[in-house]
Amino acid sequence: QVQLVESGGGLVQSGESLKLSCVASRPGFIIDVMGWYRQAPGKQRELVGTVSGADTTNVARNVADSVQGRFFVSANFAQNTVSLTMNSLKPEDTATYYCHAVARRYGRSQLLNFWGQGTQVTVSS
């Protein structure tokens, strides 16, 4: 299995910045995609941004419109880490943020989804 452990959540004021980090343990797996999703109370889980291991820049190309220009996702596939830098935070960014990975077992083609347990980010106005 792939285990994802997030860190860095907390309470901040509107306009401040926060950085989340995620480390993956992946014995026997190859990770193809890493990224972040979030879920606010009473809402569905939504994409924040993802990075493909095939993208040598390791910078997210798939980023939600609502966070474009404020949030930045970057990954280091050699170190099995992905981070989320959040700038100009707004109260509507309050949510539980989940680290996500798409991985496959060595020698297999089936893609599997893995999730972290989530870290809470609360932005006060």
Side-chain angles (χ1 to χ4, degrees), residues 6-21:
E6 304 107 333
S7 61
L11 171 64
V12 296
Q13 293 190 337
S14 182
E16 293 185 340
S17 299
L18 197 64
K19 183 176 182 178
L20 306 182
S21 298

Side-chain angles (χ1 to χ4, degrees), residues 59-91:
V59 174
R61 302 300 181 187
N62 182 23
V63 179
D65 290 342
S66 60
V67 302
Q68 277 278 4
R70 297 190 300 122
F71 289 14
F72 300 92
V73 181
S74 62
N76 185 325
F77 285 86
Q79 296 183 355
N80 302 313
T81 61
V82 61
S83 64
L84 173 62
T85 301
M86 303 180 288
N87 300 315
S88 302
L89 281 161
K90 305 175 182 179

Side-chain angles (χ1 to χ4, degrees), residues 66-125:
S66 60
V67 302
Q68 277 278 4
R70 297 190 300 122
F71 289 14
F72 300 92
V73 181
S74 62
N76 185 325
F77 285 86
Q79 296 183 355
N80 302 313
T81 61
V82 61
S83 64
L84 173 62
T85 301
M86 303 180 288
N87 300 315
S88 302
L89 281 161
K90 305 175 182 179
E92 52 263 43
D93 295 318
T94 294
T96 300
Y97 284 72
Y98 294 91
C99 182
H100 174 251
V102 178
R104 52 190 163 87
R105 294 184 186 275
Y106 283 108
R108 303 282 183 89
S109 60
Q110 181 185 11
L111 297 177
L112 303 172
N113 287 287
F114 297 93
W115 296 92
Q117 291 190 326
T119 183
Q120 179 65 35
V121 173
T122 303
V123 184
S124 64
S125 58

